[in-house]
Amino acid sequence: MAERPGRAPFDAVLCDVDNVIRFYDPSGLHALERAAGLAEGTTAKVAFAPETALPVLLGRVDLQEWVQAIAEGLSGPVPEATAWELGTALLESPFSADETVVALLRRARTRVPLVLVSNATVRLEDDLTALGLADLADDIVNSARVALAKPDPRIYRLAADLAGVRPERCLFIDDTEENTEAAAALGMHPVHFHTPADLERALDPLFT
Protein backbone atom coordinates (compact mmCIF):
# COMPACT_ATOMS: atom_id res chain seq x y z
CA MET A 1 0.00 0.00 0.00
CA ALA A 2 1.37 3.42 -0.92
CA GLU A 3 2.22 5.78 1.90
CA ARG A 4 0.03 8.80 2.43
CA PRO A 5 1.56 12.07 1.18
CA GLY A 6 3.65 13.62 3.92
CA ARG A 7 3.66 10.48 6.04
CA ALA A 8 7.00 9.53 7.59
CA PRO A 9 8.31 6.12 6.46
CA PHE A 10 8.29 4.88 10.07
CA ASP A 11 5.89 4.73 13.00
CA ALA A 12 8.38 4.07 15.82
CA VAL A 13 11.98 4.86 16.71
CA LEU A 14 14.27 2.16 18.11
CA CYS A 15 17.52 3.63 19.40
CA ASP A 16 20.79 2.33 20.80
CA VAL A 17 22.13 3.86 24.01
CA ASP A 18 25.93 3.69 24.18
CA ASN A 19 27.82 5.89 21.73
CA VAL A 20 24.52 7.38 20.60
CA ILE A 21 22.92 8.77 23.76
CA ARG A 22 25.48 7.93 26.43
CA PHE A 23 29.22 8.50 26.15
CA TYR A 24 31.92 7.34 28.55
CA ASP A 25 34.97 9.35 29.60
CA PRO A 26 37.92 6.92 29.49
CA SER A 27 40.58 9.46 30.54
CA GLY A 28 41.00 8.06 34.07
CA LEU A 29 41.25 4.51 32.77
CA HIS A 30 43.74 5.58 30.12
CA ALA A 31 45.92 7.20 32.78
CA LEU A 32 45.96 3.94 34.74
CA GLU A 33 46.82 2.01 31.58
CA ARG A 34 49.74 4.30 30.80
CA ALA A 35 51.00 3.98 34.38
CA ALA A 36 50.84 0.19 34.01
CA GLY A 37 52.76 0.28 30.74
CA LEU A 38 49.76 -0.68 28.63
CA ALA A 39 48.49 0.95 25.47
CA GLU A 40 45.36 3.05 25.91
CA GLY A 41 42.30 0.97 25.13
CA THR A 42 43.83 -2.35 26.18
CA THR A 43 41.35 -2.85 29.02
CA ALA A 44 38.35 -2.11 26.80
CA LYS A 45 39.67 -4.49 24.15
CA VAL A 46 39.74 -7.28 26.73
CA ALA A 47 36.45 -6.27 28.36
CA PHE A 48 34.45 -6.13 25.15
CA ALA A 49 35.86 -9.19 23.43
CA PRO A 50 32.85 -11.43 22.81
CA GLU A 51 33.99 -14.16 25.17
CA THR A 52 34.30 -11.63 28.01
CA ALA A 53 31.42 -9.28 27.24
CA LEU A 54 28.61 -11.57 26.13
CA PRO A 55 28.12 -13.30 29.49
CA VAL A 56 27.48 -9.98 31.27
CA LEU A 57 25.51 -8.50 28.37
CA LEU A 58 23.22 -11.53 28.38
CA GLY A 59 22.79 -11.42 32.15
CA ARG A 60 24.61 -14.70 32.74
CA VAL A 61 27.23 -13.23 35.11
CA ASP A 62 27.13 -10.26 37.46
CA LEU A 63 29.27 -7.15 37.27
CA GLN A 64 31.93 -8.38 39.68
CA GLU A 65 32.27 -11.59 37.70
CA TRP A 66 32.77 -9.44 34.61
CA VAL A 67 35.51 -7.47 36.34
CA GLN A 68 37.10 -10.76 37.35
CA ALA A 69 37.06 -11.94 33.73
CA ILE A 70 38.64 -8.65 32.62
CA ALA A 71 41.31 -8.96 35.29
CA GLU A 72 42.07 -12.51 34.22
CA GLY A 73 42.45 -11.32 30.64
CA LEU A 74 44.94 -8.66 31.75
CA SER A 75 46.82 -10.66 34.35
CA GLY A 76 49.61 -11.67 31.98
CA PRO A 77 50.88 -8.19 31.06
CA VAL A 78 50.27 -6.66 34.52
CA PRO A 79 50.14 -7.86 38.17
CA GLU A 80 46.83 -9.23 39.40
CA ALA A 81 46.12 -6.25 41.65
CA THR A 82 46.69 -3.85 38.75
CA ALA A 83 44.49 -5.95 36.50
CA TRP A 84 41.65 -5.73 39.04
CA GLU A 85 42.17 -1.98 39.34
CA LEU A 86 41.91 -1.59 35.58
CA GLY A 87 38.78 -3.73 35.34
CA THR A 88 37.13 -1.80 38.15
CA ALA A 89 38.11 1.53 36.57
CA LEU A 90 36.45 0.49 33.32
CA LEU A 91 33.27 -0.51 35.14
CA GLU A 92 33.20 2.78 37.05
CA SER A 93 34.12 5.08 34.13
CA PRO A 94 32.09 8.30 34.29
CA PHE A 95 29.53 8.93 31.58
CA SER A 96 27.30 11.68 30.28
CA ALA A 97 24.47 12.12 27.82
CA ASP A 98 24.59 13.98 24.52
CA GLU A 99 22.00 16.66 25.12
CA THR A 100 21.45 17.27 21.40
CA VAL A 101 20.58 13.61 20.87
CA VAL A 102 18.35 13.59 23.95
CA ALA A 103 16.47 16.66 22.70
CA LEU A 104 15.98 15.09 19.26
CA LEU A 105 14.65 11.87 20.76
CA ARG A 106 12.32 13.69 23.15
CA ARG A 107 10.92 15.61 20.19
CA ALA A 108 10.51 12.43 18.15
CA ARG A 109 8.63 10.81 21.01
CA THR A 110 5.96 13.48 20.77
CA ARG A 111 5.05 11.91 17.41
CA VAL A 112 5.90 8.19 17.64
CA PRO A 113 6.83 5.58 20.27
CA LEU A 114 10.51 5.46 21.29
CA VAL A 115 12.15 2.23 22.46
CA LEU A 116 15.76 2.02 23.61
CA VAL A 117 17.52 -1.15 22.46
CA SER A 118 20.88 -1.68 24.14
CA ASN A 119 23.50 -4.34 24.64
CA ALA A 120 24.10 -3.37 28.25
CA THR A 121 24.57 -4.59 31.79
CA VAL A 122 21.85 -4.78 34.43
CA ARG A 123 22.92 -1.31 35.55
CA LEU A 124 21.52 0.41 32.46
CA GLU A 125 18.21 1.47 33.97
CA ASP A 126 19.89 2.92 37.07
CA ASP A 127 22.42 4.71 34.86
CA LEU A 128 19.65 6.30 32.81
CA THR A 129 18.00 7.45 36.03
CA ALA A 130 21.30 8.98 37.16
CA LEU A 131 21.39 10.88 33.85
CA GLY A 132 17.84 12.15 34.37
CA LEU A 133 16.65 10.01 31.45
CA ALA A 134 14.38 7.51 33.21
CA ASP A 135 11.45 8.98 31.27
CA LEU A 136 13.19 9.31 27.91
CA ALA A 137 11.58 6.30 26.22
CA ASP A 138 8.36 4.36 26.24
CA ASP A 139 10.26 1.11 26.81
CA ILE A 140 13.81 -0.18 27.29
CA VAL A 141 15.02 -3.46 25.82
CA ASN A 142 18.16 -4.24 27.81
CA SER A 143 20.10 -7.28 26.59
CA ALA A 144 21.05 -8.27 30.14
CA ARG A 145 17.39 -8.45 31.15
CA VAL A 146 15.95 -10.14 28.06
CA ALA A 147 18.91 -12.52 27.49
CA LEU A 148 19.17 -11.43 23.87
CA ALA A 149 21.81 -9.21 22.30
CA LYS A 150 22.11 -7.36 19.03
CA PRO A 151 22.48 -8.44 16.25
CA ASP A 152 20.18 -11.33 17.21
CA PRO A 153 17.00 -10.60 15.20
CA ARG A 154 14.84 -11.61 18.17
CA ILE A 155 15.81 -8.50 20.14
CA TYR A 156 14.77 -6.29 17.23
CA ARG A 157 11.42 -8.03 16.92
CA LEU A 158 10.88 -7.70 20.67
CA ALA A 159 11.53 -3.96 20.48
CA ALA A 160 9.15 -3.58 17.55
CA ASP A 161 6.47 -5.53 19.42
CA LEU A 162 6.85 -3.26 22.44
CA ALA A 163 6.46 -0.25 20.16
CA GLY A 164 3.35 -1.84 18.66
CA VAL A 165 4.76 -1.48 15.15
CA ARG A 166 5.76 -3.90 12.39
CA PRO A 167 9.56 -4.12 11.91
CA GLU A 168 9.35 -2.50 8.47
CA ARG A 169 7.75 0.57 10.08
CA CYS A 170 10.62 1.07 12.55
CA LEU A 171 13.52 3.50 12.34
CA PHE A 172 16.56 1.88 13.94
CA ILE A 173 19.58 3.92 15.13
CA ASP A 174 22.88 2.33 16.18
CA ASP A 175 26.58 3.21 16.07
CA THR A 176 27.58 -0.34 15.06
CA GLU A 177 27.26 -1.25 11.39
CA GLU A 178 26.68 -4.94 12.14
CA ASN A 179 23.61 -3.96 14.17
CA THR A 180 22.18 -1.64 11.52
CA GLU A 181 22.69 -4.33 8.89
CA ALA A 182 20.73 -6.79 11.02
CA ALA A 183 17.94 -4.24 11.35
CA ALA A 184 17.88 -3.70 7.60
CA ALA A 185 17.59 -7.46 7.06
CA LEU A 186 14.31 -7.33 9.00
CA GLY A 187 13.02 -4.50 6.83
CA MET A 188 13.71 -1.72 9.34
CA HIS A 189 14.98 1.69 8.27
CA PRO A 190 18.58 1.72 9.55
CA VAL A 191 20.64 4.72 10.57
CA HIS A 192 24.36 4.14 11.17
CA PHE A 193 25.00 6.83 13.78
CA HIS A 194 28.16 8.93 13.70
CA THR A 195 26.97 12.38 14.82
CA PRO A 196 23.69 13.95 16.00
CA ALA A 197 23.26 15.29 12.47
CA ASP A 198 22.67 11.71 11.29
CA LEU A 199 19.81 11.38 13.75
CA GLU A 200 18.39 14.79 12.93
CA ARG A 201 18.24 13.96 9.21
CA ALA A 202 16.63 10.61 9.89
CA LEU A 203 13.93 12.13 12.12
CA ASP A 204 13.17 15.02 9.79
CA PRO A 205 10.27 13.24 8.04
CA LEU A 206 8.35 13.27 11.33
CA PHE A 207 8.19 17.04 11.25
CA THR A 208 7.88 17.87 7.53
Side-chain angles (χ1 to χ4, degrees), residues 96-121:
S96 60
D98 186 307
E99 294 303 327
T100 299
V101 169
V102 168
L104 287 168
L105 291 174
R106 288 197 186 281
R107 187 179 182 218
R109 194 181 168 208
T110 66
R111 301 294 179 89
V112 296
L114 170 64
V115 177
L116 302 183
V117 190
S118 183
N119 288 355
T121 73

Side-chain angles (χ1 to χ4, degrees), residues 141-163:
V141 180
N142 177 354
S143 65
R145 298 196 182 278
V146 301
L148 299 168
K150 297 175 291 186
D152 187 326
R154 292 175 295 175
I155 196 171
Y156 299 81
R157 293 192 184 100
L158 174 59
D161 286 347
L162 287 171

Side-chain angles (χ1 to χ4, degrees), residues 48-189:
F48 295 108
E51 62 273 17
T52 309
L54 276 176
V56 74
L57 296 178
L58 292 172
R60 296 172 182 165
V61 301
D62 64 25
L63 294 173
Q64 280 308 112
E65 289 172 314
W66 185 38
V67 172
Q68 180 179 352
I70 296 167
E72 289 172 354
L74 292 169
S75 60
V78 298
E80 182 179 354
T82 302
W84 272 92
E85 183 182 19
L86 290 166
T88 301
L90 180 138
L91 180 64
E92 301 300 334
S93 294
F95 52 81
S96 60
D98 186 307
E99 294 303 327
T100 299
V101 169
V102 168
L104 287 168
L105 291 174
R106 288 197 186 281
R107 187 179 182 218
R109 194 181 168 208
T110 66
R111 301 294 179 89
V112 296
L114 170 64
V115 177
L116 302 183
V117 190
S118 183
N119 288 355
T121 73
V122 293
R123 233 171 41 176
L124 174 64
E125 291 81 0
D126 288 343
D127 289 350
L128 290 171
T129 298
L131 289 169
L133 301 179
D135 65 342
L136 177 62
D138 294 283
D139 277 294
I140 300 171
V141 180
N142 177 354
S143 65
R145 298 196 182 278
V146 301
L148 299 168
K150 297 175 291 186
D152 187 326
R154 292 175 295 175
I155 196 171
Y156 299 81
R157 293 192 184 100
L158 174 59
D161 286 347
L162 287 171
V165 174
R166 301 190 314 274
E168 59 269 25
R169 294 296 302 172
C170 292
L171 182 74
F172 178 84
I173 304 109
D174 201 290
D175 68 301
T176 302
E177 189 171 11
E178 180 183 21
N179 294 340
T180 58
E181 289 174 349
L186 292 173
M188 294 182 176
H189 301 263

